[in-house]
Amino acid sequence: MTSPPERATSRHSPARAANTLPQHSGGAGSDEVVELGDLGPWRPRLVATDLDGTLLTRHGTVSDRTRAAIDASWAAGVPVVGVTGRGPRLLDSVRTALGGRGIGVLAQGGFVVAFGDTPAEDEVLRTVGLPRDEAQAVIDAIEAVTGELVLAVEDAATQSEALSPLRVQHGFDWPYPEPADLLPRHDVLPAGPVLKVFLRSETLGQDELLALARSVIDPSTAEVTHAGLGFIEVLPPGITKASGLAVALERFGVPMSDVLVFGDMPNDLPMITAVGEAGGRSVAVANAHPAVLAAATDRTSGHDVDGVARYLEALQA
């Protein structure tokens, strides 16, 4: 008889409240104020923004100033779409951050939902999983160049369950206080598809780990990225924040060229690049990863001093 998985304790605390997002530690530039000056005549028809490290403070909250700027955008007829790496198990927290309006793009683009007046009226516009054997093949290929890694998994079969536990290998050191089943390595991958695989190295930093993974994994096989949390993520092929945002734009009838997008980490680069190349405007917060600062067409203040709100206010003035 198989013993039930060990439920996380201490390090992996019980579930946080469903309407809060995990804390995102403030990094360099998080409290830097950027003088914006004249932003020119261009105005967006839609705002898309990352959440952790961009829209939210380091405490995972939406400040009063940011909430007011979001409300003003909606009042002006400009929808605000949240585009996040958070999985659908955290949908309630994403709904709260966005004020329960519009569309949420979750799981790096793999799960897209149009919010209804009540959760029961939500409409799922996209959900994509990576078959188990394909996920295993990607893990094997990456470990061939990185050495043994520690993994965690979001099971696609339970993705619609609020705060459903992650499947986490002993030793992963998952950073957030949410439900997690601690499992031996051979039990971490479920029998069916996965929404995401998280891979952590005990010796390699996240940028180096990502570079090695991309050297052996073609995007036609899987997408690999990182969100600044110390590990990389493996996603189904074609699943990026850009492709997820495209689903939202189709629903709103807005082209990429009319989008204003905000981000901070490499997982935001696909949408930052797509919007910039289409002629829209991409903005990096001051605390952004160097690659995002280099790719964005503009820059705003850090996430702990309402960088997104300051930029929206300047456009709304």
Side-chain angles (χ1 to χ4, degrees):
M1 178 177 177
T2 303
S3 300
E6 178 185 346
R7 182 55 56 88
T9 57
S10 61
R11 268 186 315 158
H12 304 279
S13 307
R16 61 183 173 276
N19 64 347
T20 61
L21 281 161
Q23 183 167 316
H24 189 289
S25 60
S30 62
D31 58 358
E32 178 184 344
V33 175
V34 175
E35 296 300 327
L36 296 173
D38 183 6
L39 297 180
W42 182 88
R43 293 295 182 269
R45 291 177 57 199
L46 182 142
V47 175
T49 179
D50 170 54
L51 298 184
D52 293 303
T54 301
L55 185 74
L56 308 179
T57 70
R58 73 181 67 194
H59 304 296
T61 58
V62 178
S63 73
D64 291 342
R65 182 174 182 175
T66 297
R67 179 67 68 197
I70 292 173
D71 290 345
S73 185
W74 277 100
V78 180
V80 178
V81 172
V83 189
T84 177
R86 298 279 151 222
R89 71 187 187 284
L90 302 178
L91 181 59
D92 287 346
S93 61
V94 175
R95 184 196 317 277
T96 298
L98 298 176
R101 289 180 293 193
I103 291 176
V105 178
L106 289 80
Q108 313 292 14
F111 187 92
V112 183
V113 60
F115 296 117
D117 291 335
T118 68
E121 296 174 286
D122 288 350
E123 180 184 358
V124 176
L125 306 179
R126 180 194 225 186
T127 178
V128 184
L130 184 65
R132 185 191 193 281
D133 58 342
E134 295 179 22
Q136 184 64 66
V138 170
I139 294 168
D140 292 344
I142 294 174
E143 287 188 320
V145 294
T146 64
E148 186 174 352
L149 302 172
V150 187
L151 62 146
V153 169
E154 287 194 43
D155 186 348
T158 62
Q159 63 182 305
S160 62
E161 299 173 13
L163 293 171
S164 59
L166 287 170
R167 301 173 66 89
V168 179
Q169 181 182 348
H170 287 276
F172 188 94
D173 194 20
W174 185 252
Y176 296 134
E178 59 187 276
D181 286 332
L182 297 182
L183 301 163
R185 170 66 183 252
H186 63 271
D187 284 336
V188 176
L189 281 178
V194 301
L195 190 64
K196 283 189 195 181
V197 176
F198 307 92
L199 298 172
R200 181 189 288 278
S201 171
E202 295 181 356
T203 59
L204 300 171
Q206 57 191 3
D207 286 331
E208 185 178 6
L209 181 57
L210 180 59
L212 287 169
R214 285 180 171 169
S215 73
V216 294
I217 301 301
D218 189 275
S220 64
T221 300
E223 291 285 345
V224 288
T225 190
H226 85 65
L229 299 172
F231 46 79
I232 65 172
E233 301 182 17
V234 175
L235 302 137
I239 297 304
T240 69
K241 286 193 174 186
S243 67
L245 175 58
V247 174
L249 295 182
E250 183 177 1
R251 173 57 66 97
F252 283 114
V254 174
M256 201 75 77
S257 58
D258 287 334
V259 173
L260 168 65
V261 64
F262 297 90
D264 75 315
M265 282 293 158
N267 60 323
D268 297 317
L269 280 171
M271 67 176 182
I272 290 279
T273 302
V275 168
E277 290 180 345
R281 186 171 294 181
S282 57
V283 184
V285 288
N287 51 280
H289 187 281
V292 177
L293 289 169
T297 57
D298 213 343
R299 186 166 171 262
T300 190
S301 303
H303 73 119
D304 271 337
V305 285
D306 305 303
V308 172
R310 288 171 185 265
Y311 202 94
L312 292 178
E313 290 165 0
L315 288 176
Q316 294 159 1

